[in-house]
Amino acid sequence: MESGQLLIILATAIASATPLVFACIGETITERAGVINLSAEGTIMLCAMVGFVAAKTADNVWLGFLAAAIVGALIALVVAYGAITLKQSQIAIGFVLALLCSDLSAYLGNPYVRIPGPTVPPRFPIPVLQDIPFIGPLFFREGDVLVYAGYALIAATWFYFYRTRGGLTLRAIGEQPAAAFARGHNVIALRYAYTVIGGALMGIAGAAFSLDFKAGWSYRHTAGYGWIALAIVIFGGWNPLRAALGAYLFGMLQSLANVAQSAIPDMPTQVFTVAPFVLMILVLVLTSSDWLDRLLSYLPVNARRSLSRTLHTAPPAALGRPFEQD
C-alpha cells in the first residue's frame, strides 16, 4: 500500500469517527457523574433527524447543530429526572427512551427522507500545522471544522477531568457522592448538569451524522452507533482520551472494511457493513477476558504492571446508584 493511500485511509477514519467522539465524550461525562444514559442510540438517531430538518428549514447548518444539542439535552433531562429525582431504574429509563426516540425519528422524519440539505463545509486546512510532515496532512489538512472541534473537545475534557478542581468534583460525585456532599458539593445539581451536558454532546453527535459524515436523513440513519458509543465508553475506562481512541479505532475498522469491499467485490456488502461492529465487540471481549492477563504474563514485570493498570479499569463506584441528599 502506498503512503498516499494509507494517508487517505487514516484521514477518512478520523473523519468518520468524529460523530462517535462527541457521543463517547458525552456519555463519559454523564457516567463519570454517576448516571447511565442508555438512551444514546435513540438520542443520536432523533437528533440526527432534528439537526437535518432544522438545518434544511433554516438553511443554516449551525442552527441544525444547535437544535440537535437542545433536543439531546432535553432527552438527557428526562433521564436525569427519572434517575436522580424519581430514583427509578436508569437502565429501564434509557432503554424505553432509546426505543421511543428511534420510532419518533422515523415518524417525524419521514417527509425528509433522502432529500438534499445543507452540510458542513467539506475541507478546512489549518495553516502552518498542515505542513508538518505526515501529521499535518493526516490531522490538519483534510478535516473540516467538526473534526477539529473533536480534537479540541478531547483535549479540553481530559484537561477538565484531571487538571481542574471541577473535574475532581465530577469524578468525586461518581465515585463517592456522600464524601463530595460532605465537602459542600450539591451532588444532585451537579449530576443534573453533567447529564444534560452529556446529552447535548450526544445531540451534536447525531447532527454530525446527518450534516457531515452521512449527509442527509433516512430511516435508521445512525443505527447501531449509539450502542457502539456505550461499548466504547466501557472500553475506554471512562477516560475521555481512551474513549476517543476507541472511537478512532472503530473509524479505522470502517475504513478498512471499505477498502476490503473494493478489493473483494464478490463478497456481499452486508458483510463489510457489519464487520466493524463485530470486530469492535470482539476487541472489547478480548480486552476484558482472562486471555489478556495470560498474554500480559509473558511480558517483563514492569511492562506488565504498566499495561495492566492501563487496560484494566473499573467503572465509577457509584455509577447507576441513586443518592439521597438530605
Side-chain angles (χ1 to χ4, degrees), residues 18-256:
T18 297
L20 267 181
V21 168
F22 281 91
C24 292
I25 296 292
E27 183 67 19
T28 299
I29 292 172
T30 301
E31 295 198 8
R32 273 293 194 173
V35 178
I36 305 172
N37 185 355
L38 287 185
S39 74
E41 174 72 5
T43 297
I44 292 173
M45 200 174 297
L46 182 61
C47 291
M49 185 277 293
V50 169
F52 178 75
V53 172
K56 182 170 181 57
T57 304
D59 195 23
N60 187 317
V61 69
W62 306 118
L63 284 180
F65 278 98
L66 177 61
I70 292 172
V71 171
L74 290 175
I75 296 170
L77 188 61
V78 174
V79 174
Y81 181 73
I84 299 172
T85 300
L86 300 181
K87 298 181 176 57
Q88 299 301 308
S89 168
Q90 298 180 17
I91 294 175
I93 295 169
F95 270 119
V96 169
L97 283 175
L99 296 174
L100 175 64
C101 292
S102 296
D103 289 343
L104 273 179
S105 70
Y107 175 72
L108 298 176
N110 190 50
Y112 298 91
V113 171
R114 300 188 186 288
I115 61 175
T119 60
V120 174
R123 191 166 175 268
F124 187 77
I126 303 294
V128 181
L129 294 179
Q130 66 168 328
D131 298 325
I132 301 173
F134 190 77
I135 293 176
L138 177 58
F139 292 102
F140 304 111
R141 184 178 296 173
E142 301 300 329
D144 56 31
V145 173
L146 208 59
V147 171
Y148 304 135
Y151 298 159
L153 178 65
I154 297 166
T157 308
W158 182 88
F159 184 83
Y160 182 76
F161 269 38
Y162 301 109
R163 292 293 185 272
T164 67
R165 185 176 295 276
L168 181 63
T169 303
L170 165 61
R171 288 182 284 144
I173 63 175
E175 295 285 352
Q176 297 182 345
F181 179 65
R183 293 180 66 85
H185 298 297
N186 189 329
V187 175
I188 299 297
L190 287 172
R191 282 187 168 181
Y192 261 98
Y194 286 121
T195 303
V196 169
I197 291 171
L201 288 174
M202 281 191 202
I204 293 173
F209 275 107
S210 60
L211 297 175
D212 191 21
F213 175 49
K214 296 169 67 176
W217 167 252
S218 60
Y219 176 63
R220 297 183 64 77
H221 195 68
T222 66
Y225 283 92
W227 303 121
I228 283 293
L230 291 170
I232 289 175
V233 170
I234 299 172
F235 169 72
W238 295 268
N239 178 308
L241 184 58
R242 287 183 49 177
L245 290 176
Y248 288 130
L249 172 62
F250 183 76
M252 176 63 68
L253 294 174
Q254 283 186 308
S255 293
L256 292 177

